[in-house]
């Protein structure tokens, strides 16, 4: 049997004596570490501050105790697995930018037809497959709008599809080594303790059975996810339907700049129609000798005689008639078909404000929305109610939906950014806009090379991922700007900030104590019961903090248990990884669950009711198969 070499760190046993008057309190190093850990968990639960902020606080606090050094607190930044996770975000961005995910959605809609059961089966298989090679959070953000569009076409309530998506995305973490951060955390802990890490497909024998059992379970549980199977279906949105839904009729105007207009030769920044007249310039039509162009407005855009301004009137003070008379502008007719005619140049989208967004509490103007995202906000919904009045003056709140207008490329860029805005819906007209599919074969080739290199072990996993990143860049699937934007820095900082706890708990004897408690609790019942205890402890801890942080804390404990039993570390490490991915029971266990709450209209109890049996299913598979694949 393969045992683990103990991590060679000295255990601190000294105590700190705190005196207050005649009372002396003895505080050990372990007590200090546990107090800091409890403080971190409380901040995670309260989400104050956000998770990466908590991690940075711990990076500062732990060295101040003297238990670990500053260098040890920062070792996570040099961990190859951190760079590997960042590289995987970039590869996922390449798959999005080249339209591969959209093609999968279109294929899914054709294959599923109007059968809800077939749709759920195919959707979960595809989400799990795609999630096995890219971020599960990214997969969910990609497939939410796809599923909403398919639900509208198939006559299915969105609430019956969102939960299967999140379940499949979490199970995708049980498919391959690179599918989710907890796998890489456990893999890295094995390597730090002198054992070989997991191979690329080491997780697959467990993920596939869990996936198929989960599909069967979700086909039964879907009845609990929507009030009625015959819920009214919202038709696929169009430009015209959004104009009516957000009350834009009568607000949009077209004005041609006359030959004697004082606007000719001036820039939009100089005239500032938003402040002076309560008008937003959405686009500039300009005729050229060969064609008619639709230009996006910028502060330095210089207007010409004959240009046509597409304006959005906001607020009761705006007076288009007075503006036309003042600046010698000719009013032109505007129909809803206008936007369809320009659908190749101008796009619309619904964007949702997620938790942790930098836009929360800010107005569109304060956030510099147009300059940041190259899009103009023209509508706002809070819940189901469209806001009336000046949209740009409303502070944005969690769950708000913005209707934006602008270039399709700016909207497509947002589909790879899930931190501040989520693309909730695209209009039917977007189906006619040709995606950038020319690079799709190159993106698939880069992905294939990475998987082949990792599966065969030809090079280190990090080298394989970096090779794929370089191929994506060389073939034009991603550029530097999109690559940096694709990396979910919050997740990386969270892992780096929690890794020092592993060192501190080992140094102060906390890991050994926790391992001893698990062994003593199981008694002489054998390693199978201990595996069950480790799974339950990991799953319960995951109710309160992210599955990544759970893996960071539980992996050293599980490996210490293996060492105390003189058993192979692999079944214990694999159990932690599988339990960390089984974060089905609450909407806060994983960002994957949080993303589907709004579109699926779920409550906290929906996750508890549907997720608890899924955790039991995963635990049963783990306890049955892990000892067979990785003997003790």
């Amino acid at each position: 049997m393969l045992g683990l070499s103990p991590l060679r760190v000295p255990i601190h046993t000294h105590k700190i004596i705190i005196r207050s008057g005649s009372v002396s309190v003895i505080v050990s190093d372990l007590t200090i570490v546990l107090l800091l850990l409890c403080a971190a968990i409380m901040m995670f639960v309260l989400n104050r501050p956000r998770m990466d902020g908590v991690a940075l606080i711990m990076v500062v606090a732990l060295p101040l105790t003297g238990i670990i050094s500053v260098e040890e607190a920062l070792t996570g930044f040099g961990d190859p697995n951190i760079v590997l996770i960042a590289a995987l975000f970039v590869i996922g961005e390449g798959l999005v930018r080249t339209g591969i995910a959209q093609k999968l959605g279109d294929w899914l809609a054709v294959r599923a037809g109007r059968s809800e059961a077939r749709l759920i089966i195919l959707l979960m298989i595809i989400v799990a497959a795609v999630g096995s090679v890219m971020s599960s959070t990214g997969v969910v953000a990609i497939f939410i709008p796809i599923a909403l569009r398919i639900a509208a076409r198939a006559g299915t309530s969105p609430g019956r599809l969102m939960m299967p998506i999140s379940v499949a995305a979490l199970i995708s973490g049980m498919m391959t080594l690179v599918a989710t951060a907890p796998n890489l955390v456990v893999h890295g802990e094995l390597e730090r303790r002198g054992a070989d890490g997991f191979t690329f497909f080491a997780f697959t024998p467990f993920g596939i059975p869990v996936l198929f059992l989960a599909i069967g379970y979700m086909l039964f549980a879907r009845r609990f996810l929507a009030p009625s199977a015959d819920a009214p279906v919202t038709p696929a949105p169009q430009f015209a339907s959004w104009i009516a839904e957000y009350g834009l009729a009568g607000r949009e105007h077209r004005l041609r700049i006359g030959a004697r207009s004082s606007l000719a030769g001036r820039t939009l920044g100089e005239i500032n129609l938003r402040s002076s007249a309560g008008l937003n310039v959405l686009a500039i039509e300009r005729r050229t000798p060969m064609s008619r162009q639709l230009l996006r407005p910028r502060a330095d855009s210089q207007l010409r005689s004959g240009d046509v301004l597409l304006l959005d009137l906001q607020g009761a003070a705006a007076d288009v008639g007075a503006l036309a008379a003042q600046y010698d502008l000719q009013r032109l007719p505007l129909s809803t078909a206008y936007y369809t005619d320009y659908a190749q140049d101008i796009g619309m989208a619904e964007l949702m404000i997620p938790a942790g967004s930098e836009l929360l509490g800010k107005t569109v103007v304060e956030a510099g929305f147009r300059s940041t995202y190259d899009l103009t906000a023209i509508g706002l919904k809070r819940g189901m109610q469209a806001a009336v009045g000046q949209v740009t003056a409303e502070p944005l709140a969690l769950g708000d939906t913005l209707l934006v207008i602008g270039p399709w490329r700016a909207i497509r860029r947002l589909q790879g950014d899930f931190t501040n805005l989520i693309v909730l819906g695209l209009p039917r007209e977007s189906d006619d806009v040709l995606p950038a599919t020319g690079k799709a074969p190159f993106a698939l080739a880069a992905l294939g090379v990475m998987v082949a290199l990792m599966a065969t072990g030809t090079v280190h996993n990090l080298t394989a991922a970096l090779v794929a990143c370089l191929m994506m860049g060389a073939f034009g699937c991603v550029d530097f700007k999109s690559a940096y934007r694709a990396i979910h820095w919050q997740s990386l900082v969270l892992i780096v900030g929690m890794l020092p706890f592993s060192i501190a708990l080992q140094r102060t004897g906390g890991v050994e104590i926790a391992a001893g408690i698990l062994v003593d609790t199981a008694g002489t019942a054998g390693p199978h019961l201990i595996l069950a205890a480790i799974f339950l402890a990991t799953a319960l801890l995951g109710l309160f903090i992210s599955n990544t942080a759970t893996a960071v804390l539980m992996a050293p404990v599980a490996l210490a248990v293996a060492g105390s039993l003189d058993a192979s570390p692999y079944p214990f490490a694999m159990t932690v990884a599988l339990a960390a991915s089984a974060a089905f029971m609450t909407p806060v266990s994983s960002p994957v669950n949080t993303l589907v709450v709004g579109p699926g209209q779920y409550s906290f109890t929906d996750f508890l009711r549907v997720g608890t049996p899924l955790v039991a299913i995963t635990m049963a598979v783990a306890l049955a198969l892990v000892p067979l694949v990785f003997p003790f």
Side-chain angles (χ1 to χ4, degrees), residues 32 38 101 118 120 143 147 157 183 198 225 245 276 387 459 595 608:
I32 295 173
C38 290
R118 191 184 307 126
I120 289 175
F143 274 90
S157 172
N183 293 356
F198 288 118
L225 298 177
E245 187 177 339
S276 62
V459 296
L595 286 176
L608 197 60

Side-chain angles (χ1 to χ4, degrees), residues 38 79 102 109 198 231 311 360 379 461 476 529:
C38 290
D79 192 320
Q102 186 176 359
F198 288 118
L311 302 175
L360 289 172
N461 288 337
L529 187 57

Side-chain angles (χ1 to χ4, degrees), residues 76 82 106 111 145 173 194 246 324 328 371 393 400 402 439 481 504 530 539 598:
I82 299 297
D106 294 338
R111 291 290 182 181
Y246 283 85
D328 186 27
S371 58
D400 280 357
L402 283 174
K439 305 293 184 180
K481 183 181 293 185
I530 295 178

Side-chain angles (χ1 to χ4, degrees), residues 467-503:
V467 167
C469 287
L470 290 174
M471 291 178 65
M472 290 275 191
F475 293 132
C477 304
V478 294
D479 53 25
F480 280 107
K481 183 181 293 185
S482 62
Y484 282 115
R485 188 175 57 246
I487 298 173
H488 197 257
W489 298 102
Q490 182 178 351
S491 298
L492 298 184
V493 172
L494 172 63
I495 299 172
V496 168
M498 294 302 293
L499 281 176
F501 270 114
S502 174
I503 300 174

Side-chain angles (χ1 to χ4, degrees), residues 7 24 36 48 53 86 112 149 153 192 222 297 299 306 332 346 362 431 439 464 499 518 575 580 606:
L7 190 66
S24 297
L36 284 175
R48 292 285 190 281
R149 188 170 75 244
R153 291 176 180 174
R192 276 190 291 274
R222 57 181 165 151
L332 301 176
I346 191 169
K362 298 180 182 179
D431 294 338
K439 305 293 184 180
L499 281 176
L518 283 172
T575 299
D606 287 329

Side-chain angles (χ1 to χ4, degrees), residues 7-354:
L7 190 66
R8 299 184 181 279
V9 291
I11 295 180
H12 283 210
T13 57
H14 72 271
K15 299 175 175 60
I16 300 171
I17 302 177
I18 302 175
R19 291 185 173 87
S20 178
S22 60
V23 180
S24 297
V25 180
I26 300 177
V27 182
S28 68
D29 286 345
L30 178 58
T31 302
I32 295 173
V33 174
L34 292 178
L35 287 173
L36 284 175
L37 180 58
C38 290
I41 291 175
M42 286 301 298
M43 286 186 280
F44 283 143
V45 172
L46 298 173
N47 198 29
R48 292 285 190 281
R50 46 184 245 183
M51 290 188 295
D52 52 339
V54 176
L56 289 175
I57 291 172
M58 295 302 127
V59 167
V60 175
L62 281 169
L64 290 177
T65 66
I67 297 171
I68 65 173
S69 66
V70 173
E71 290 77 10
E72 288 171 325
L74 298 176
T75 52
F77 286 103
D79 192 320
N81 289 302
I82 299 297
V83 184
L84 174 57
I85 294 170
L88 293 173
F89 280 119
V90 176
I91 293 167
E93 174 72 0
L95 299 178
V96 174
R97 284 169 59 90
T98 52
I100 293 171
Q102 186 176 359
K103 286 182 178 294
L104 283 173
D106 294 338
W107 177 88
L108 177 61
V110 172
R111 291 290 182 181
R114 301 185 68 86
S115 169
E116 184 179 273
R118 191 184 307 126
L119 178 58
I120 289 175
I121 293 171
L122 292 175
L123 185 62
M124 291 185 69
I125 291 174
I126 290 176
V127 168
V130 176
S132 67
V133 291
M134 65 178 289
S135 160
S136 56
T137 305
V139 171
V140 171
I142 290 168
F143 274 90
I144 283 177
I146 291 174
L148 289 174
R149 188 170 75 244
I150 293 173
R153 291 176 180 174
T156 300
S157 172
R160 292 176 177 261
L161 300 182
M162 294 298 113
M163 187 83 74
I165 287 177
S166 67
V167 168
L170 288 170
I171 294 174
S172 73
M174 307 175 195
M175 293 293 181
T176 66
L177 173 64
V178 301
T180 187
N183 293 356
L184 293 169
V185 168
V186 175
H187 170 81
E189 189 66 25
L190 281 169
E191 292 184 325
R192 276 190 291 274
R193 286 171 168 254
D196 293 331
F198 288 118
T199 60
F200 187 82
F201 290 111
F203 299 80
T204 312
F206 317 108
I208 290 177
V210 172
L211 174 62
F212 283 104
L213 289 172
I215 289 173
Y217 170 73
M218 291 308 299
L219 291 175
F220 165 78
R222 57 181 165 151
R223 66 189 67 187
F224 304 119
L225 298 177
S228 169
D230 299 321
V233 178
T234 304
Q238 293 179 280
F239 285 168
S241 61
W242 273 346
I243 288 172
E245 187 177 339
Y246 283 85
L248 303 182
R251 275 180 39 186
E252 314 300 292
H253 302 270
R254 292 175 69 223
L255 300 176
R256 178 184 285 126
I257 299 177
R260 293 179 294 178
S261 173
S262 59
L263 297 183
R266 300 173 67 186
T267 65
L268 289 178
E270 291 172 349
I271 59 177
N272 196 5
L273 291 177
R274 178 188 293 166
S275 299
S276 62
L279 289 162
N280 246 341
V281 180
L282 304 180
I284 304 169
E285 299 175 45
R286 178 169 295 169
R287 286 198 172 276
T288 64
M290 300 296 294
S291 64
R292 183 174 59 173
Q293 294 180 327
L294 200 68
L295 308 177
R296 52 182 179 164
R298 296 179 176 275
D300 58 355
S301 297
Q302 189 174 56
L303 301 177
R304 301 178 186 176
S305 174
D307 283 352
V308 176
L309 304 179
L310 177 62
L311 302 175
D312 175 51
L313 180 152
Q314 293 190 9
D319 188 340
V320 176
L323 182 75
Q326 179 182 354
Y327 292 108
D328 186 27
L329 305 175
Q330 178 187 356
R331 300 182 70 170
L332 301 176
L334 177 64
S335 67
T336 55
Y338 171 86
Y339 295 98
T340 303
D341 293 341
Y342 277 103
Q344 292 293 331
D345 303 297
I346 191 169
M348 282 188 185
E350 281 189 315
L351 309 178
M352 186 175 70
I353 310 296

